[in-house]
Amino acid sequence: MTTTDDVASLTTVTIPQRRVVRERSVRRGRLGVAVALMAVCALGAVALFGYVSRTQPYLAVGRDVSVGAQITAADLVTVHLNPDPGIAGVPGDRTDQVIGKYASVALLSGTLLNANALVDKPFPAPGEQVVGVSLKAGQMPSAPLRPGASVLLVSTEESTQDKPAAAAPTIRATVVHVIAGARDGTATVSVAVGESDGPVVARLAAQGRLVLTLTSGS
């Protein structure tokens, strides 16, 4: 004989079917999330590929190089950067053109190699001195000065009432390195001069009495 309590217990057996429906709903939700994540990853991969494909190889300094040292293959590494007009770098396929040159300034590890920091000949050569000359606009040509350019250093002698202006000495020099100044039109130019001319150039430069001119073939 079936009692009321037995009927009540039988009517509660439908709960497992409801759990199955909920588990299927959860699985479908997880599947949708997985598909969305896969789509995001695919889009990220495409964007990354597009970014990498736009980069170009440039030469960088792999270890510190002292002033005047000759560049070797061990000093260089290749980095990939997006091309930009503001990047004064050396393309990665010009390694052969760089090896064998000399550093006109100290090159620091991890920095991008700049062609203007390299010269073809060792310096200072025997019998030469390198002197830094600070110049203002009007004391040098507006044309860019390149390392290796031949220049003339002309002094501007001041005349006095008791003494007429002496003939301005002219000293031949070679540009080693150029650093643009904080103000427009100013620059500090390192030049290689004869050993006997070094002290003269240093004294005139300290007095601001030097004008730099380019010679033919510079």
Side-chain angles (χ1 to χ4, degrees):
M1 181 175 178
T2 303
T3 64
T4 303
D5 294 336
D6 294 334
V7 174
S9 62
L10 290 174
T11 58
T12 61
V13 181
T14 58
I15 296 176
Q17 295 180 357
R18 295 180 180 176
R19 291 182 178 177
V20 173
V21 174
R22 291 179 179 177
E23 289 178 358
R24 289 178 180 176
S25 299
V26 171
R27 290 177 181 175
R28 290 177 181 176
R30 289 178 178 176
L31 180 61
V33 173
V35 171
L37 288 175
M38 291 176 63
V40 171
C41 292
L43 291 174
V46 171
L48 180 61
F49 176 78
Y51 174 82
V52 174
S53 63
R54 291 194 301 269
T55 61
Q56 294 183 3
Y58 291 91
L59 294 180
V61 183
R63 60 184 182 181
D64 292 346
V65 179
S66 59
V67 178
Q70 191 172 28
I71 304 299
T72 66
D75 299 324
L76 306 174
V77 294
T78 302
V79 297
H80 289 79
L81 301 172
N82 279 331
D84 190 298
I87 297 179
V90 179
D93 59 355
R94 297 185 182 177
T95 303
D96 295 340
Q97 300 177 21
V98 171
I99 294 176
K101 291 192 174 185
Y102 298 84
S104 61
V105 295
L107 304 178
L108 301 180
S109 175
T111 58
L112 202 62
L113 185 65
N114 191 324
N116 292 331
L118 305 176
V119 292
D120 296 328
K121 298 179 180 180
F123 70 92
E128 287 186 342
Q129 291 184 353
V130 176
V131 183
V133 181
S134 296
L135 300 173
K136 301 177 182 179
Q139 291 180 298
M140 58 183 172
S142 58
L145 294 174
R146 304 295 184 186
S150 297
V151 297
L152 292 178
L153 300 176
V154 182
S155 68
T156 55
E157 297 287 352
E158 294 181 353
S159 62
T160 62
Q161 294 180 353
D162 300 331
K163 181 181 178 181
T170 300
I171 300 172
R172 293 187 176 274
T174 302
V175 176
V176 175
H177 186 62
V178 180
I179 301 177
R183 296 181 180 178
D184 292 340
T186 63
T188 299
V189 184
S190 295
V191 293
V193 297
E195 191 171 5
S196 60
D197 295 326
V200 177
V201 173
R203 176 173 57 83
L204 294 174
Q207 297 173 355
R209 292 166 50 197
L210 278 179
V211 175
L212 184 149
T213 63
L214 285 171
T215 62
S216 60
S218 298

